[in-house]
Amino acid sequence: MINLSKRIPTSDVQKIKIGSEVIVAGWVEQSKLLGKLAFLKLRDREGYVQVVATSNYSKMKDLNSISRESVVSIRGRVKKSKARSGGKELELIELNLLSKAATPLPIEFLGNKIETDLSKRLDYRYIDLRHPQRLAIFKIRAIILSAIHSFMRESKFIEIQTSKLSGAGAEGGAELFELPYFGKKVALNQSQQLYKQLIMLSGFERAYEIGTSYRAEKSHTHRHLTEFWQLDVELSFINGIEDIMRLQERLLVYILRQVKKEGKSELELLGKEITVPKLPFPRINYSDACNLLKVKSNTDIGTELERKLAKIIKSKFKTDSFFLTNFPDDFTKFYAKHDENIGRYVDLIYNSNEISSGGQREHNYDILIQQIKDKGLRPKDFEFYTTPFKYGAPPHGGFGMGIDRLVTFILDLPNIREGVLFPRDVDRIGP
Ligand code: 4AD
Ligand code: MG
């Protein structure tokens, strides 16, 4: 048996001296018998290596039975590749068939002329993800998350974890997923919002959480899921939304720099170049945005108008990243701090799409209760959240950034589902 603990990644074969023996393992993407020779294209996480069986190999016939996508381990000798100048390949010495793949494959995922449609690809996600470009997306996603953690730690934020089960919706009551809970009803969290705020009242001063949020929205768009990942950030003793914007723009630039630095080969594979925007990002007042868009000043700037606005900003300021600030209170949440009827609220638009919302929060108990009533909600449902404001609350604010959207719009993916391993939407709850 081939000793798997001695296995090296296929990509390392190129660094090994000609004539050495190595062990590799992975999926057989192609196998070809050509006269007295057989060729296997072996794929693992790090890339490919070509394996050649010559007449020195005594079990040539066995190679016939290796179907595409079977998993094998291989002992081979490094030699100069005839096909790739300067490259190396392996001459087969020993092969173990570890798992034979059934035929035909449920979907074609490589080299087929017609792209399998996304829905079918998601049905067979475990195969779809074998495509090196799909893997590259998730390697970049991991770089993004690791960059977020580094940035937050360097900026003195404490990582927190809050409950995903709660009695009240943070972002408006209509879109809750309710579930039975020992004779009571609870809901899945719509965001980490109320709990990250409570932590500010507990004196953590700076905290962040990366967690899932759930919204029962019947939207079939390229950028909405029913389960999505959010980076939630909250900080105390702020003067206003400028503090929140400064933090966010530095975070985005930090993430993009890290992706550029650590994700070179993945970006190349995806054919994507990253532009790191200049600081500071333009800050566009909501009413000015409406003027630029030539719409009434209290128009809801949704997906289409956002895109249009991004085009205008791009031509004016030569950037893909900007903040939309000071929202009319029709478009703010009950927890936002207001100046008259303008919310201290801010969206970050990147690559023509909203990737985050945030702002300063109302920390005065009486005003908070009034705002809950004004939004047509019942103060009683929010007592767990409002009562703490009676006992000492610092001025605070923060933002929630969609991780899946970040991945999608950094990589220009056509659909948010491409950047999520097992996406959940109105029609999909599996695999
Ligand atoms: O704009 P949202 O709803 O704001 C909040 O959740 C607030 N608690 C944030 C705050 O701190 N005030 O959500 C924040 C971000 C959005 O900008 C978007 O990137 C992402 O979360 N998001 C979604 N991503 C995928 N699918 C959905 N259904 C999403 N809803 C929001
Ligand atoms: Mg928003």
Side-chain angles (χ1 to χ4, degrees), residues 13 31 66 100 175 226 260 297 306 321 371 373 421:
V13 170
S31 65
I66 299 177
K100 187 173 169 175
E175 305 150 351
T226 49
K260 230 178 145 156
S297 63
E306 229 166 71
S321 317
Q371 291 191 165
K373 287 184 190 156
L421 283 176

Side-chain angles (χ1 to χ4, degrees), residues 215 333 345 347 354 356-358:
R215 297 189 191 172
K333 304 283 164 67
Y345 212 73
D347 272 9
E354 174 198 322
S356 99
S357 287

Side-chain angles (χ1 to χ4, degrees), residues 59-316:
K59 297 180 183 161
M60 203 63 124
K61 270 205 203 104
D62 296 356
L63 299 183
N64 268 329
S65 67
I66 299 177
S67 49
R68 271 170 54 220
E69 292 303 306
S70 291
V71 177
V72 299
S73 58
I74 279 172
R75 191 158 59 84
R77 194 177 316 284
V78 179
K79 58 179 228 178
K80 236 195 222 148
S81 161
K82 291 217 176 77
R84 261 177 63 199
S85 75
K88 292 170 186 168
E89 60 188 23
L90 291 181
E91 180 174 350
L92 182 62
I93 302 172
E94 185 184 355
L95 180 144
N96 290 163
L97 179 58
L98 302 176
S99 162
K100 187 173 169 175
T103 50
L105 296 169
I107 52 163
E108 284 303 332
F109 69 101
L110 274 167
N112 55 323
K113 299 229 166 59
I114 306 156
E115 265 282 304
T116 310
D117 75 62
L118 180 60
S119 167
K120 188 146 188 216
R121 280 176 39 214
L122 292 174
D123 288 343
Y124 298 100
R125 191 61 157 160
Y126 52 95
I127 291 213
D128 178 57
L129 290 169
R130 292 185 189 176
H131 193 304
Q133 282 184 330
R134 318 266 190 266
L135 179 62
I137 294 173
F138 291 94
K139 287 185 181 172
I140 298 274
R141 187 177 167 117
I143 294 170
I144 291 171
L145 282 160
S146 142
I148 292 173
H149 284 296
S150 310
F151 179 87
M152 298 317 293
R153 235 185 344 260
E154 282 169 25
S155 311
K156 304 266 186 293
F157 282 80
I158 299 174
E159 187 181 3
I160 57 167
Q161 290 81 33
T162 60
S163 175
K164 305 297 159 233
L165 295 173
S166 75
E171 314 293 341
E175 305 150 351
L176 286 173
F177 280 117
E178 287 188 325
L179 39 130
Y181 192 81
F182 306 116
K184 290 189 220 100
K185 260 195 188 152
V186 299
L188 293 175
N189 70 304
Q190 292 176 307
S191 74
Q192 292 41 263
Q193 182 66 36
L194 305 184
Y195 289 98
K196 68 175 173 173
Q197 282 193 253
L198 289 187
I199 288 308
M200 293 301 106
L201 275 55
S202 306
F204 280 41
E205 299 198 11
R206 291 177 158 229
Y208 78 103
E209 170 164 0
I210 295 175
T212 45
S213 296
Y214 300 87
R215 297 189 191 172
E217 295 166 312
K218 282 213 166 132
S219 22
H220 295 87
T221 77
H222 72 296
R223 61 179 206 177
H224 285 91
L225 295 170
T226 49
E227 177 189 62
F228 60 97
W229 288 82
Q230 265 185 324
L231 160 68
D232 262 290
V233 173
E234 203 68 12
L235 61 159
S236 293
F237 302 110
I238 59 169
N239 286 310
I241 55 174
E242 184 53 35
D243 303 275
I244 292 155
M245 290 190 279
R246 262 205 303 273
L247 182 73
Q248 260 193 99
E249 60 188 359
R250 282 177 39 238
L251 168 66
L252 183 61
V253 164
Y254 185 96
I255 295 171
L256 293 172
R257 284 205 182 118
Q258 288 303 107
V259 170
K260 230 178 145 156
K261 197 162 97 189
E262 291 176 29
K264 273 204 185 91
S265 53
E266 287 76 22
L267 291 173
E268 217 175 275
L269 194 59
L270 293 166
K272 172 73 193 148
E273 266 179 50
I274 302 272
T275 313
V276 180
K278 285 205 184 70
L279 292 172
F281 300 171
R283 279 104 162 107
I284 314 293
N285 208 297
Y286 201 96
S287 59
D288 294 336
C290 290
N291 281 338
L292 288 169
L293 289 165
K294 303 195 171 66
V295 294
K296 279 206 216 109
S297 63
N298 57 348
T299 305
D300 186 0
I301 302 182
T303 312
E304 280 319 306
L305 284 179
E306 229 166 71
R307 283 212 182 115
K308 205 167 154 196
L309 182 62
K311 260 199 194 140
I312 299 172
I313 300 300
K314 174 117 182 161
S315 68
K316 254 175 119 73

